[in-house]
PDB file of all heavy atoms in Angstrom:
ATOM      1  N   GLY A 211       0.866  -1.175   0.000  1.00 97.00           N
ATOM      2  CA  GLY A 211       0.000   0.000   0.000  1.00 97.00           C
ATOM      3  C   GLY A 211       0.900   1.222   0.000  1.00 97.00           C
ATOM      4  O   GLY A 211       2.048   1.168   0.467  1.00 97.00           O
ATOM      5  N   PHE A 212       0.390   2.333  -0.527  1.00 96.00           N
ATOM      6  CA  PHE A 212       1.239   3.502  -0.738  1.00 96.00           C
ATOM      7  C   PHE A 212       1.924   3.972   0.548  1.00 96.00           C
ATOM      8  O   PHE A 212       3.149   4.089   0.611  1.00 96.00           O
ATOM      9  CB  PHE A 212       0.425   4.643  -1.361  1.00 96.00           C
ATOM     10  CG  PHE A 212       1.269   5.812  -1.757  1.00 96.00           C
ATOM     11  CD1 PHE A 212       2.019   5.790  -2.917  1.00 96.00           C
ATOM     12  CD2 PHE A 212       1.327   6.942  -0.965  1.00 96.00           C
ATOM     13  CE1 PHE A 212       2.818   6.859  -3.286  1.00 96.00           C
ATOM     14  CE2 PHE A 212       2.114   8.025  -1.321  1.00 96.00           C
ATOM     15  CZ  PHE A 212       2.856   7.980  -2.481  1.00 96.00           C
ATOM     16  N   GLY A 213       1.159   4.250   1.574  1.00 97.00           N
ATOM     17  CA  GLY A 213       1.734   4.769   2.812  1.00 97.00           C
ATOM     18  C   GLY A 213       2.676   3.780   3.477  1.00 97.00           C
ATOM     19  O   GLY A 213       3.770   4.146   3.925  1.00 97.00           O
ATOM     20  N   ALA A 214       2.262   2.530   3.540  1.00 98.00           N
ATOM     21  CA  ALA A 214       3.083   1.505   4.174  1.00 98.00           C
ATOM     22  C   ALA A 214       4.376   1.257   3.394  1.00 98.00           C
ATOM     23  O   ALA A 214       5.432   1.021   3.987  1.00 98.00           O
ATOM     24  CB  ALA A 214       2.293   0.212   4.323  1.00 98.00           C
ATOM     25  N   GLN A 215       4.304   1.332   2.067  1.00 98.00           N
ATOM     26  CA  GLN A 215       5.501   1.124   1.244  1.00 98.00           C
ATOM     27  C   GLN A 215       6.497   2.263   1.464  1.00 98.00           C
ATOM     28  O   GLN A 215       7.696   2.036   1.589  1.00 98.00           O
ATOM     29  CB  GLN A 215       5.117   1.008  -0.239  1.00 98.00           C
ATOM     30  CG  GLN A 215       6.213   0.450  -1.107  1.00 98.00           C
ATOM     31  CD  GLN A 215       6.313  -1.072  -1.048  1.00 98.00           C
ATOM     32  OE1 GLN A 215       5.690  -1.731  -0.229  1.00 98.00           O
ATOM     33  NE2 GLN A 215       7.106  -1.624  -1.923  1.00 98.00           N
ATOM     34  N   LYS A 216       5.974   3.508   1.512  1.00 98.00           N
ATOM     35  CA  LYS A 216       6.847   4.656   1.796  1.00 98.00           C
ATOM     36  C   LYS A 216       7.480   4.514   3.177  1.00 98.00           C
ATOM     37  O   LYS A 216       8.672   4.774   3.350  1.00 98.00           O
ATOM     38  CB  LYS A 216       6.062   5.970   1.727  1.00 98.00           C
ATOM     39  CG  LYS A 216       5.695   6.400   0.343  1.00 98.00           C
ATOM     40  CD  LYS A 216       6.705   7.343  -0.202  1.00 98.00           C
ATOM     41  CE  LYS A 216       6.186   7.921  -1.507  1.00 98.00           C
ATOM     42  NZ  LYS A 216       7.176   8.700  -2.190  1.00 98.00           N
ATOM     43  N   GLN A 217       6.686   4.111   4.163  1.00 98.00           N
ATOM     44  CA  GLN A 217       7.213   3.953   5.516  1.00 98.00           C
ATOM     45  C   GLN A 217       8.278   2.862   5.554  1.00 98.00           C
ATOM     46  O   GLN A 217       9.308   3.007   6.216  1.00 98.00           O
ATOM     47  CB  GLN A 217       6.089   3.643   6.503  1.00 98.00           C
ATOM     48  CG  GLN A 217       6.541   3.632   7.946  1.00 98.00           C
ATOM     49  CD  GLN A 217       7.078   4.970   8.413  1.00 98.00           C
ATOM     50  OE1 GLN A 217       6.569   6.023   8.048  1.00 98.00           O
ATOM     51  NE2 GLN A 217       8.132   4.939   9.210  1.00 98.00           N
ATOM     52  N   PHE A 218       8.056   1.769   4.840  1.00 98.00           N
ATOM     53  CA  PHE A 218       9.058   0.711   4.751  1.00 98.00           C
ATOM     54  C   PHE A 218      10.366   1.279   4.210  1.00 98.00           C
ATOM     55  O   PHE A 218      11.447   0.989   4.731  1.00 98.00           O
ATOM     56  CB  PHE A 218       8.552  -0.431   3.852  1.00 98.00           C
ATOM     57  CG  PHE A 218       9.569  -1.515   3.625  1.00 98.00           C
ATOM     58  CD1 PHE A 218       9.639  -2.597   4.488  1.00 98.00           C
ATOM     59  CD2 PHE A 218      10.456  -1.446   2.565  1.00 98.00           C
ATOM     60  CE1 PHE A 218      10.591  -3.607   4.293  1.00 98.00           C
ATOM     61  CE2 PHE A 218      11.408  -2.431   2.355  1.00 98.00           C
ATOM     62  CZ  PHE A 218      11.476  -3.517   3.230  1.00 98.00           C
ATOM     63  N   ALA A 219      10.273   2.085   3.153  1.00 98.00           N
ATOM     64  CA  ALA A 219      11.465   2.675   2.543  1.00 98.00           C
ATOM     65  C   ALA A 219      12.187   3.594   3.521  1.00 98.00           C
ATOM     66  O   ALA A 219      13.419   3.549   3.642  1.00 98.00           O
ATOM     67  CB  ALA A 219      11.082   3.425   1.274  1.00 98.00           C
ATOM     68  N   VAL A 220      11.443   4.433   4.224  1.00 98.00           N
ATOM     69  CA  VAL A 220      12.053   5.351   5.190  1.00 98.00           C
ATOM     70  C   VAL A 220      12.771   4.561   6.280  1.00 98.00           C
ATOM     71  O   VAL A 220      13.900   4.891   6.667  1.00 98.00           O
ATOM     72  CB  VAL A 220      10.988   6.303   5.783  1.00 98.00           C
ATOM     73  CG1 VAL A 220      11.522   7.054   6.983  1.00 98.00           C
ATOM     74  CG2 VAL A 220      10.496   7.277   4.711  1.00 98.00           C
ATOM     75  N   GLU A 221      12.141   3.519   6.775  1.00 98.00           N
ATOM     76  CA  GLU A 221      12.747   2.714   7.839  1.00 98.00           C
ATOM     77  C   GLU A 221      13.975   1.951   7.354  1.00 98.00           C
ATOM     78  O   GLU A 221      14.888   1.668   8.131  1.00 98.00           O
ATOM     79  CB  GLU A 221      11.716   1.766   8.440  1.00 98.00           C
ATOM     80  CG  GLU A 221      10.657   2.502   9.237  1.00 98.00           C
ATOM     81  CD  GLU A 221       9.513   1.625   9.702  1.00 98.00           C
ATOM     82  OE1 GLU A 221       9.563   0.388   9.504  1.00 98.00           O
ATOM     83  OE2 GLU A 221       8.566   2.180  10.277  1.00 98.00           O
ATOM     84  N   ALA A 222      14.038   1.635   6.063  1.00 98.00           N
ATOM     85  CA  ALA A 222      15.176   0.914   5.497  1.00 98.00           C
ATOM     86  C   ALA A 222      16.338   1.839   5.147  1.00 98.00           C
ATOM     87  O   ALA A 222      17.451   1.364   4.894  1.00 98.00           O
ATOM     88  CB  ALA A 222      14.740   0.134   4.262  1.00 98.00           C
ATOM     89  N   ALA A 223      16.100   3.142   5.118  1.00 98.00           N
ATOM     90  CA  ALA A 223      17.155   4.103   4.780  1.00 98.00           C
ATOM     91  C   ALA A 223      18.264   4.058   5.819  1.00 98.00           C
ATOM     92  O   ALA A 223      18.023   3.810   7.004  1.00 98.00           O
ATOM     93  CB  ALA A 223      16.570   5.511   4.690  1.00 98.00           C
ATOM     94  N   ARG A 224      19.474   4.312   5.384  1.00 98.00           N
ATOM     95  CA  ARG A 224      20.633   4.255   6.271  1.00 98.00           C
ATOM     96  C   ARG A 224      20.832   5.519   7.099  1.00 98.00           C
ATOM     97  O   ARG A 224      21.589   5.499   8.067  1.00 98.00           O
ATOM     98  CB  ARG A 224      21.884   3.976   5.451  1.00 98.00           C
ATOM     99  CG  ARG A 224      21.900   2.581   4.885  1.00 98.00           C
ATOM    100  CD  ARG A 224      23.202   2.272   4.176  1.00 98.00           C
ATOM    101  NE  ARG A 224      23.222   0.862   3.808  1.00 98.00           N
ATOM    102  CZ  ARG A 224      23.662   0.401   2.653  1.00 98.00           C
ATOM    103  NH1 ARG A 224      24.130   1.225   1.750  1.00 98.00           N
ATOM    104  NH2 ARG A 224      23.645  -0.893   2.403  1.00 98.00           N
ATOM    105  N   HIS A 225      20.205   6.608   6.707  1.00 98.00           N
ATOM    106  CA  HIS A 225      20.412   7.886   7.402  1.00 98.00           C
ATOM    107  C   HIS A 225      19.121   8.364   8.052  1.00 98.00           C
ATOM    108  O   HIS A 225      18.023   8.019   7.615  1.00 98.00           O
ATOM    109  CB  HIS A 225      20.954   8.932   6.428  1.00 98.00           C
ATOM    110  CG  HIS A 225      22.242   8.513   5.793  1.00 98.00           C
ATOM    111  ND1 HIS A 225      23.414   8.376   6.505  1.00 98.00           N
ATOM    112  CD2 HIS A 225      22.536   8.168   4.523  1.00 98.00           C
ATOM    113  CE1 HIS A 225      24.378   7.968   5.698  1.00 98.00           C
ATOM    114  NE2 HIS A 225      23.877   7.827   4.483  1.00 98.00           N
ATOM    115  N   ASP A 226      19.277   9.175   9.088  1.00 97.00           N
ATOM    116  CA  ASP A 226      18.113   9.706   9.797  1.00 97.00           C
ATOM    117  C   ASP A 226      17.329  10.705   8.954  1.00 97.00           C
ATOM    118  O   ASP A 226      16.111  10.806   9.080  1.00 97.00           O
ATOM    119  CB  ASP A 226      18.540  10.384  11.099  1.00 97.00           C
ATOM    120  CG  ASP A 226      19.072   9.389  12.117  1.00 97.00           C
ATOM    121  OD1 ASP A 226      18.724   8.192  12.041  1.00 97.00           O
ATOM    122  OD2 ASP A 226      19.852   9.814  13.000  1.00 97.00           O
ATOM    123  N   TRP A 227      18.013  11.465   8.124  1.00 98.00           N
ATOM    124  CA  TRP A 227      17.354  12.445   7.261  1.00 98.00           C
ATOM    125  C   TRP A 227      17.021  11.769   5.943  1.00 98.00           C
ATOM    126  O   TRP A 227      17.891  11.154   5.312  1.00 98.00           O
ATOM    127  CB  TRP A 227      18.243  13.660   7.024  1.00 98.00           C
ATOM    128  CG  TRP A 227      18.374  14.500   8.241  1.00 98.00           C
ATOM    129  CD1 TRP A 227      19.394  14.490   9.148  1.00 98.00           C
ATOM    130  CD2 TRP A 227      17.444  15.487   8.703  1.00 98.00           C
ATOM    131  NE1 TRP A 227      19.147  15.404  10.142  1.00 98.00           N
ATOM    132  CE2 TRP A 227      17.956  16.024   9.900  1.00 98.00           C
ATOM    133  CE3 TRP A 227      16.221  15.942   8.225  1.00 98.00           C
ATOM    134  CZ2 TRP A 227      17.292  17.008  10.622  1.00 98.00           C
ATOM    135  CZ3 TRP A 227      15.563  16.926   8.946  1.00 98.00           C
ATOM    136  CH2 TRP A 227      16.094  17.452  10.120  1.00 98.00           C
ATOM    137  N   VAL A 228      15.748  11.861   5.536  1.00 98.00           N
ATOM    138  CA  VAL A 228      15.270  11.145   4.353  1.00 98.00           C
ATOM    139  C   VAL A 228      14.412  12.070   3.501  1.00 98.00           C
ATOM    140  O   VAL A 228      13.518  12.754   4.014  1.00 98.00           O
ATOM    141  CB  VAL A 228      14.436   9.906   4.759  1.00 98.00           C
ATOM    142  CG1 VAL A 228      13.892   9.190   3.534  1.00 98.00           C
ATOM    143  CG2 VAL A 228      15.264   8.954   5.614  1.00 98.00           C
ATOM    144  N   LEU A 229      14.682  12.084   2.214  1.00 98.00           N
ATOM    145  CA  LEU A 229      13.860  12.791   1.228  1.00 98.00           C
ATOM    146  C   LEU A 229      13.143  11.733   0.410  1.00 98.00           C
ATOM    147  O   LEU A 229      13.776  10.890  -0.230  1.00 98.00           O
ATOM    148  CB  LEU A 229      14.733  13.663   0.323  1.00 98.00           C
ATOM    149  CG  LEU A 229      14.046  14.338  -0.865  1.00 98.00           C
ATOM    150  CD1 LEU A 229      12.931  15.270  -0.409  1.00 98.00           C
ATOM    151  CD2 LEU A 229      15.074  15.080  -1.715  1.00 98.00           C
ATOM    152  N   CYS A 230      11.811  11.735   0.453  1.00 97.00           N
ATOM    153  CA  CYS A 230      10.999  10.788  -0.312  1.00 97.00           C
ATOM    154  C   CYS A 230      10.648  11.384  -1.668  1.00 97.00           C
ATOM    155  O   CYS A 230      10.121  12.496  -1.725  1.00 97.00           O
ATOM    156  CB  CYS A 230       9.702  10.466   0.431  1.00 97.00           C
ATOM    157  SG  CYS A 230       9.930   9.612   1.990  1.00 97.00           S
ATOM    158  N   LEU A 231      10.944  10.650  -2.716  1.00 97.00           N
ATOM    159  CA  LEU A 231      10.609  11.074  -4.071  1.00 97.00           C
ATOM    160  C   LEU A 231       9.821   9.974  -4.765  1.00 97.00           C
ATOM    161  O   LEU A 231       9.949   8.800  -4.423  1.00 97.00           O
ATOM    162  CB  LEU A 231      11.876  11.344  -4.887  1.00 97.00           C
ATOM    163  CG  LEU A 231      12.769  12.499  -4.468  1.00 97.00           C
ATOM    164  CD1 LEU A 231      14.024  12.524  -5.327  1.00 97.00           C
ATOM    165  CD2 LEU A 231      12.027  13.822  -4.576  1.00 97.00           C
ATOM    166  N   ASP A 232       9.059  10.373  -5.771  1.00 97.00           N
ATOM    167  CA  ASP A 232       8.458   9.431  -6.702  1.00 97.00           C
ATOM    168  C   ASP A 232       9.329   9.404  -7.948  1.00 97.00           C
ATOM    169  O   ASP A 232      10.036  10.377  -8.245  1.00 97.00           O
ATOM    170  CB  ASP A 232       7.034   9.856  -7.062  1.00 97.00           C
ATOM    171  CG  ASP A 232       6.070   9.732  -5.887  1.00 97.00           C
ATOM    172  OD1 ASP A 232       6.340   8.916  -4.974  1.00 97.00           O
ATOM    173  OD2 ASP A 232       5.067  10.447  -5.877  1.00 97.00           O
ATOM    174  N   ALA A 233       9.283   8.320  -8.698  1.00 98.00           N
ATOM    175  CA  ALA A 233      10.151   8.163  -9.864  1.00 98.00           C
ATOM    176  C   ALA A 233       9.951   9.246 -10.911  1.00 98.00           C
ATOM    177  O   ALA A 233      10.866   9.559 -11.668  1.00 98.00           O
ATOM    178  CB  ALA A 233       9.944   6.788 -10.489  1.00 98.00           C
ATOM    179  N   ASP A 234       8.766   9.858 -10.948  1.00 97.00           N
ATOM    180  CA  ASP A 234       8.516  10.903 -11.939  1.00 97.00           C
ATOM    181  C   ASP A 234       8.828  12.307 -11.405  1.00 97.00           C
ATOM    182  O   ASP A 234       8.566  13.295 -12.083  1.00 97.00           O
ATOM    183  CB  ASP A 234       7.084  10.839 -12.457  1.00 97.00           C
ATOM    184  CG  ASP A 234       6.039  11.077 -11.378  1.00 97.00           C
ATOM    185  OD1 ASP A 234       6.391  11.098 -10.177  1.00 97.00           O
ATOM    186  OD2 ASP A 234       4.862  11.231 -11.728  1.00 97.00           O
ATOM    187  N   GLU A 235       9.405  12.389 -10.213  1.00 97.00           N
ATOM    188  CA  GLU A 235       9.776  13.685  -9.647  1.00 97.00           C
ATOM    189  C   GLU A 235      11.264  13.946  -9.855  1.00 97.00           C
ATOM    190  O   GLU A 235      12.059  13.013  -9.998  1.00 97.00           O
ATOM    191  CB  GLU A 235       9.444  13.733  -8.150  1.00 97.00           C
ATOM    192  CG  GLU A 235       7.956  13.687  -7.882  1.00 97.00           C
ATOM    193  CD  GLU A 235       7.635  13.747  -6.411  1.00 97.00           C
ATOM    194  OE1 GLU A 235       8.228  12.981  -5.620  1.00 97.00           O
ATOM    195  OE2 GLU A 235       6.775  14.570  -6.050  1.00 97.00           O
ATOM    196  N   ARG A 236      11.615  15.220  -9.838  1.00 97.00           N
ATOM    197  CA  ARG A 236      12.995  15.651 -10.002  1.00 97.00           C
ATOM    198  C   ARG A 236      13.336  16.636  -8.892  1.00 97.00           C
ATOM    199  O   ARG A 236      12.500  17.446  -8.494  1.00 97.00           O
ATOM    200  CB  ARG A 236      13.222  16.364 -11.345  1.00 97.00           C
ATOM    201  CG  ARG A 236      12.672  15.637 -12.563  1.00 97.00           C
ATOM    202  CD  ARG A 236      13.432  14.351 -12.856  1.00 97.00           C
ATOM    203  NE  ARG A 236      12.836  13.627 -13.967  1.00 97.00           N
ATOM    204  CZ  ARG A 236      12.032  12.575 -13.840  1.00 97.00           C
ATOM    205  NH1 ARG A 236      11.698  12.134 -12.650  1.00 97.00           N
ATOM    206  NH2 ARG A 236      11.556  11.962 -14.898  1.00 97.00           N
ATOM    207  N   VAL A 237      14.585  16.594  -8.423  1.00 97.00           N
ATOM    208  CA  VAL A 237      15.061  17.578  -7.455  1.00 97.00           C
ATOM    209  C   VAL A 237      15.554  18.777  -8.252  1.00 97.00           C
ATOM    210  O   VAL A 237      16.519  18.668  -9.011  1.00 97.00           O
ATOM    211  CB  VAL A 237      16.192  17.006  -6.579  1.00 97.00           C
ATOM    212  CG1 VAL A 237      16.733  18.062  -5.626  1.00 97.00           C
ATOM    213  CG2 VAL A 237      15.711  15.775  -5.816  1.00 97.00           C
ATOM    214  N   SER A 238      14.900  19.901  -8.078  1.00 96.00           N
ATOM    215  CA  SER A 238      15.302  21.125  -8.778  1.00 96.00           C
ATOM    216  C   SER A 238      16.580  21.678  -8.153  1.00 96.00           C
ATOM    217  O   SER A 238      16.957  21.303  -7.029  1.00 96.00           O
ATOM    218  CB  SER A 238      14.196  22.177  -8.672  1.00 96.00           C
ATOM    219  OG  SER A 238      14.077  22.614  -7.321  1.00 96.00           O
ATOM    220  N   GLU A 239      17.234  22.578  -8.847  1.00 97.00           N
ATOM    221  CA  GLU A 239      18.423  23.236  -8.288  1.00 97.00           C
ATOM    222  C   GLU A 239      18.076  23.972  -7.004  1.00 97.00           C
ATOM    223  O   GLU A 239      18.841  23.958  -6.036  1.00 97.00           O
ATOM    224  CB  GLU A 239      19.040  24.194  -9.317  1.00 97.00           C
ATOM    225  CG  GLU A 239      19.736  23.478 -10.450  1.00 97.00           C
ATOM    226  CD  GLU A 239      20.888  22.600  -9.982  1.00 97.00           C
ATOM    227  OE1 GLU A 239      21.650  23.007  -9.069  1.00 97.00           O
ATOM    228  OE2 GLU A 239      21.025  21.481 -10.511  1.00 97.00           O
ATOM    229  N   ARG A 240      16.911  24.590  -6.970  1.00 95.00           N
ATOM    230  CA  ARG A 240      16.476  25.319  -5.769  1.00 95.00           C
ATOM    231  C   ARG A 240      16.281  24.371  -4.591  1.00 95.00           C
ATOM    232  O   ARG A 240      16.704  24.654  -3.468  1.00 95.00           O
ATOM    233  CB  ARG A 240      15.193  26.082  -6.073  1.00 95.00           C
ATOM    234  CG  ARG A 240      14.705  26.931  -4.936  1.00 95.00           C
ATOM    235  CD  ARG A 240      13.511  27.740  -5.365  1.00 95.00           C
ATOM    236  NE  ARG A 240      12.955  28.441  -4.220  1.00 95.00           N
ATOM    237  CZ  ARG A 240      11.766  28.992  -4.192  1.00 95.00           C
ATOM    238  NH1 ARG A 240      10.996  28.953  -5.257  1.00 95.00           N
ATOM    239  NH2 ARG A 240      11.338  29.586  -3.112  1.00 95.00           N
ATOM    240  N   LEU A 241      15.637  23.228  -4.831  1.00 96.00           N
ATOM    241  CA  LEU A 241      15.447  22.255  -3.767  1.00 96.00           C
ATOM    242  C   LEU A 241      16.784  21.666  -3.337  1.00 96.00           C
ATOM    243  O   LEU A 241      17.037  21.483  -2.143  1.00 96.00           O
ATOM    244  CB  LEU A 241      14.483  21.147  -4.202  1.00 96.00           C
ATOM    245  CG  LEU A 241      14.236  20.050  -3.171  1.00 96.00           C
ATOM    246  CD1 LEU A 241      13.692  20.619  -1.866  1.00 96.00           C
ATOM    247  CD2 LEU A 241      13.293  18.998  -3.742  1.00 96.00           C
ATOM    248  N   HIS A 242      17.645  21.374  -4.286  1.00 97.00           N
ATOM    249  CA  HIS A 242      18.984  20.852  -3.997  1.00 97.00           C
ATOM    250  C   HIS A 242      19.694  21.784  -3.014  1.00 97.00           C
ATOM    251  O   HIS A 242      20.188  21.339  -1.965  1.00 97.00           O
ATOM    252  CB  HIS A 242      19.750  20.735  -5.315  1.00 97.00           C
ATOM    253  CG  HIS A 242      21.156  20.270  -5.194  1.00 97.00           C
ATOM    254  ND1 HIS A 242      21.792  19.618  -6.203  1.00 97.00           N
ATOM    255  CD2 HIS A 242      22.082  20.382  -4.222  1.00 97.00           C
ATOM    256  CE1 HIS A 242      23.024  19.325  -5.870  1.00 97.00           C
ATOM    257  NE2 HIS A 242      23.228  19.787  -4.649  1.00 97.00           N
TER     258      HIS A 242
END
C-alpha cells in the first residue's frame, strides 16, 4: 500500500534524514 511502502522505505534508509521522491519527480536546483 502507498503509505506503508513509503514507511518501509524510510525505515530501510541508512540515514536519519530522508527525502521521499516518486520516480517521476525531479530535485530542482532550488530544492537541492
Side-chain angles (χ1 to χ4, degrees):
F212 187 78
Q215 195 81 350
K216 287 266 189 188
Q217 187 62 38
F218 176 90
V220 168
E221 291 172 5
R224 291 185 173 138
H225 302 293
D226 292 336
W227 289 98
V228 178
L229 173 60
C230 295
L231 294 175
D232 292 335
D234 62 349
E235 293 181 311
R236 311 292 176 259
V237 177
S238 68
E239 288 299 320
R240 184 175 174 195
L241 179 58
H242 178 153

